Structure formats: C-alpha cells, structure tokens
C-alpha cells in the first residue's frame, strides 16, 4: 500500500482485528511489519473512525429526528437514515476566506459545521421531505444538489464556511475564532434572508422563551413584505447557487413561510442538569425535530437522536479535502454522508450550552408543535427547557422589537436589542 494513503473504513475494521490478533500473539513478524506500515499512513482523524462501535443490540427504542426504530430488527433502516443526513466536517484547501484568510477550518470550525448540518436538515425537509434517503452511486434529484450546493466551501454559496465566518464578524467573532451555539444560530438567521429559493422564516428564540405571536407574524408576512429587498434575486446570484428562477414567484404566493426555530439554551452551570434530560429526549421524538447542536467544551457535535441514555451524533472533527463542483454542476457527494456507524455519548456528558432546532413546513406543523410542547410541560419528570407563550408579556415588551417587519433591516436592530454572546444565557433552575 502506498505511503500517505488513508485506509478505507472496511480495512480499518480489519486492522482493528489485526491489532487484537497481534496483542494475542497470533501474527508473524511479516504481518506485523505490514501492519506498522499501514498504521503510519493513518491520519489522526481516520484513526477516530477505527474506534467506532457498531450500533448496539438493544431493545431500547431508537429515535432519529422524529423517527422511531427498533435496533434489533431495523438496523439497516437506522444506518440508512443516519447516512442520509448531510455530514459537514472540517475541510482543507478551499479558497481563502475573505481572499487572504484561512484555507482550512480544522481546529476552529466545528460549531460552524454543526450549524451547517442542522440547517441542511431543514433544507432537506423543505425541498426533499423527511423520508428522503440518499443511496451511494445513485443519481439524486436536482433539488438535492441545490441543497448541497448552498453549503459548498466557496464564497458565493449561501451557507458556506466563508459566509458564516464573515457574517460572524458582525457578531463579534473574528475569522478563525470558535463559535458557541447561540452565535452560529444568529449568523445563520441573517444568512437565510438571502436564500430566496428556500424562502425560510428563521426565528432564534431568546431568553428561554418562544412567543407564538412573534413567530406567526414572521411566517405570515403581507404580500408587500414578501417581495422585499431583503431577498436578492439577481440572475448571477441565483446562477451561482443553482436555484430555479421561479423561486421568487413561489415566495410571493406563499401564505406561510416554512419556519426554522432555533432555541439557544443553557441547561446548567458546568454540566447538564439531570432534570432536563427527559425533556431533551422528548425533543428528538417530535416530527418537527431538527436535532441539537452542542457537545463538549470547544468540541461541537450535531445530535440527531438518542438510544437509552446515549445521544446519537454526527462528528465534524475529521478533515477532508474541499470539494469543487464540476462544470456540469455535479457535486461528488460521497464525502458529505457519514457511511460508518454514528457516534454516541452519554447524555450526562453533554455540555449545558446547546441550541435545539425545529422545522415547521406549514402552519399546521407549527400548531402541532405547540400542542406537543404544552403536553410536554405537563409531564412531571420532564422539566421544561423553555417557556411557550401566546403573547409577549409586558416585561419583555420593547417597541423596537415588536414593530419589526420582514422587509426592514431587522438583523442590525435585533443585534442591538439582544446580546448574542454565548456567555449571556439565563441559567434555568428548578
């Protein structure tokens, strides 16, 4: 095997067995020499995958973004669902951010990649549906490539690492600086205003409070607001992002803008308060679930479900070469899907700073989500992580916020009103 070549996943599993055989004294000197040469070719990121365990054989229900599986009889379905999620990891050798900045996000971009993943899941639900599945070497729909193209590492993709890093400067984050869940949520909210194809309403709920009236005003704009300048529509931009020109007409006819609801929370001081664990689990059961972004200090993950007392997540901490679309707009996409068993960690090890995500494609979906949340608040062993309110209470009222309309420069006004620093969460307590 040539030096410097990373080994494929099946060989990694064989090598794992070979190491065990070596330790047991069952390999000869020649095999040991070959094994040592192979190990020398592995990167740290590749070795991480060699330690992954297969999905557990358990009678516990497995929940993946609102879908319930049986691990004993539906393991292939579980892995297919996980593999179909868009997996964004560190990349290297992409065009320099800002022209002269970093060409790799290794070591600092994990939360940005997790933000991309939770947003990509919303776009998949929006354009392909929750039941859509990716299959290796199978030609996918054009809408799939349009979704993927929105996250490619180049400056003119709506949600690229370039756009997120540069928009983050407005949130007080230097390019190359680590983000928290709240910061990436605020940045993605701003970037979504330019995505005329998806025409999303993005709400970041602050102060652990979701106000129903605010969301309905955001998702049901007047006809005059719908065609506002906040949604650029130049032919060049639509061409760069690969989106159809009829997107704006669909936007004008829409009575409800599909909602991405992101709720930044802090569920404890230095570790998660156990009183919130059951509520967190319940969130993964909802059909509107987009998952959770969070992880451990300075190590972000995208959590897509749970089994027993373990969270299931996609890990962005492996570095892959940047991908360039071909002249025909085809994108080599295998590296954007995690084709090994998903990672797991104990829920009790989760850092308390997280952001929970939900997607409501229709007003009916949002009404159903509100009903779920109200029922969840009645479960004695499930302490609510946030408050659901019909109207804004007087102590929250501020004319500058309540009078916002989708066609104004809301991002700057909201930025002045809300402190977006991740350290400024209100601590939830019993």
């Amino acid at each position: 095997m040539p030096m410097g070549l990373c080994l494929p996943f099946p060989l990694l599993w064989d090598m794992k067995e070979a190491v065990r055989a070596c330790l047991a004294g069952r390999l000869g000197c020649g095999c040991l020499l070959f094994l040592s040469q192979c190990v020398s070719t592995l990167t740290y990121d590749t070795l991480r995958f060699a330690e992954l365990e297969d999905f557990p054989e358990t009678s516990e229900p497995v929940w993946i973004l609102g879908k319930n599986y049986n691990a004993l009889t539906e393991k292939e379905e579980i892995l297919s669902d996980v593999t179909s999620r868009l997996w964004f990891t560190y990349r290297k050798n992409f065009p320099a951010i800002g022209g002269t900045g970093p060409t790799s996000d290794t070591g600092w971009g994990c939360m940005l990649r997790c933000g991309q993943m939770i947003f990509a899941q919303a776009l998949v639900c929006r354009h392909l549906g929750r039941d859509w599945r990716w299959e290796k070497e199978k030609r996918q729909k054009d809408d799939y490539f349009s979704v993927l193209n929105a996250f490619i590492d180049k400056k003119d993709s709506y949600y690229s690492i370039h756009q997120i890093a540069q928009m983050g400067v407005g949130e007080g984050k230097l390019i190359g600086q680590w983000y928290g869940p709240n910061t990436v949520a605020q940045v993605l909210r701003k970037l979504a205003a330019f995505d005329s194809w998806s025409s999303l309403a993005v709400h970041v709920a602050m102060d652990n409070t979701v106000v129903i009236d605010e969301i309905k005003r955001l998702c049901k704009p007047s006809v005059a607001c719908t065609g506002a300048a906040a949604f650029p529509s130049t032919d060049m931009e639509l061409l760069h992002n690969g989106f159809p020109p009829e997107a704006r007409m669909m936007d004008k006819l829409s009575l409800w803008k599909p909602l991405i609801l992101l709720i930044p929370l802090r569920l404890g001081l230095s570790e998660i308060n156990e009183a919130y664990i059951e509520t967190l689990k319940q969130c993964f059961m909802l059909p509107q679930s987009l998952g959770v972004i969070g992880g451990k200090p300075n190590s972000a993950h995208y959590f897509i479900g749970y089994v027993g007392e373990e969270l299931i997540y996609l890990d962005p901490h492996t570095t892959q070469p940047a991908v360039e679309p071909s002249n025909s707009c085809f994108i080599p996409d295998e590296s954007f899907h995690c084709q090994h068993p998903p990672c797991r960690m104990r829920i009790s090890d989760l850092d308390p700073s997280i952001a929970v995500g939900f997607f409501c494609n229709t007003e009916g979906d949002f009404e159903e989500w509100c009903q779920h949340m109200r029922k969840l608040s009645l479960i004695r062993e499930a302490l609510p992580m946030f408050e659901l309110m019909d109207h804004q209470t007087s102590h929250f009222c501020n004319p500058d916020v309540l009078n916002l309309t989708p066609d104004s420069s809301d991002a700057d006004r909201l930025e002045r009103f809300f402190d977006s620093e991740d350290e400024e969460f209100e601590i939830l307590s019993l």
Side-chain angles (χ1 to χ4, degrees), residues 6 23 34 41 50 57-58 101 104 120 134 143 162 174 188 203 211 259 267 299 304 341 368 373 384 410 412:
C6 290
L23 295 176
F34 171 74
T41 71
E57 300 285 343
T58 177
S104 172
W134 178 83
D143 280 353
H162 300 67
L174 299 176
L188 288 168
H203 183 73
V211 182
L259 169 68
L267 305 180
S299 182
I304 58 174
E368 179 184 335
M373 289 297 105
D410 298 342
D412 294 335

Side-chain angles (χ1 to χ4, degrees), residues 76-94:
E76 288 188 9
E77 289 83 354
I78 293 172
L79 297 179
S80 174
D81 197 349
V82 172
T83 300
S84 297
R85 301 315 107 212
L86 283 172
W87 180 45
F88 297 117
T89 70
Y90 291 149
R91 296 279 174 171
K92 61 182 179 180
N93 300 326
F94 51 65

Side-chain angles (χ1 to χ4, degrees), residues 139 142 145 325-331:
R139 174 67 186 180
D142 289 343
F145 288 106
S326 66
N327 293 333
S328 61
C329 295
F330 173 76
I331 303 173

Side-chain angles (χ1 to χ4, degrees), residues 26 33 46 69 102 128 136 166 207 263 295 319 341 368 390:
R26 299 198 304 271
L33 177 60
T46 311
Y69 296 99
L128 300 170
K136 187 176 181 179
Q166 291 184 291
D207 300 304
I263 311 174
T319 303
E368 179 184 335
D390 289 319

Side-chain angles (χ1 to χ4, degrees), residues 27-243:
L27 288 181
C29 294
C31 291
L32 289 176
L33 177 60
F34 171 74
L35 179 61
S36 66
Q37 291 175 339
C38 289
V39 170
S40 69
T41 71
L42 295 179
T43 64
Y44 167 75
D45 292 323
T46 311
L47 284 170
R48 293 170 59 89
F49 295 135
E51 297 303 317
L52 289 172
E53 298 179 1
D54 197 2
F55 210 81
E57 300 285 343
T58 177
S59 58
E60 295 268 13
V62 178
W63 285 94
I64 305 287
L65 300 175
K67 298 286 186 180
N68 186 12
Y69 296 99
N70 184 321
L72 299 177
T73 60
E74 298 178 298
K75 184 174 291 188
E76 288 188 9
E77 289 83 354
I78 293 172
L79 297 179
S80 174
D81 197 349
V82 172
T83 300
S84 297
R85 301 315 107 212
L86 283 172
W87 180 45
F88 297 117
T89 70
Y90 291 149
R91 296 279 174 171
K92 61 182 179 180
N93 300 326
F94 51 65
I97 297 176
T100 58
T103 59
S104 172
D105 62 313
T106 300
W108 60 272
C110 56
M111 182 58 78
L112 285 70
R113 296 300 185 179
C114 290
Q116 286 182 319
M117 284 190 271
I118 198 170
F119 233 69
Q121 178 58 22
L123 265 63
V124 166
C125 291
R126 168 81 168 97
H127 298 291
L128 300 170
R130 174 63 182 90
D131 294 328
W132 169 83
R133 293 294 180 266
W134 178 83
E135 294 181 37
K136 187 176 181 179
E137 298 179 353
K138 178 182 177 181
R139 174 67 186 180
Q140 297 295 330
K141 298 179 180 178
D142 289 343
D143 280 353
Y144 162 76
F145 288 106
S146 293
V147 170
L148 185 55
N149 201 38
F151 298 89
I152 292 295
D153 299 321
K154 57 181 183 178
K155 65 178 182 179
D156 52 1
S157 291
Y158 284 147
Y159 308 106
S160 67
I161 193 78
H162 300 67
Q163 294 282 11
I164 297 175
Q166 291 184 291
M167 185 66 79
V169 174
E171 294 290 328
K173 297 292 184 181
L174 299 176
I175 294 176
Q177 189 174 357
W178 198 85
Y179 284 28
N182 184 43
T183 300
V184 77
Q186 297 289 354
V187 167
L188 288 168
R189 174 182 61 81
K190 293 180 179 180
L191 292 175
F194 302 99
D195 183 358
S196 55
W197 177 56
S198 298
S199 188
L200 299 166
V202 182
H203 183 73
V204 181
M206 302 301 294
D207 300 304
N208 315 316
T209 306
V210 176
V211 182
I212 294 174
D213 273 0
E214 286 183 359
I215 291 176
K216 287 190 174 181
R217 283 199 300 270
L218 180 67
C219 294
K220 301 175 73 173
S222 65
V223 174
C225 292
T226 305
F231 299 90
S233 61
T234 64
D235 292 339
M236 183 60 68
E237 182 171 9
L238 291 175
L239 177 62
H240 280 172
N241 286 279
F243 298 149

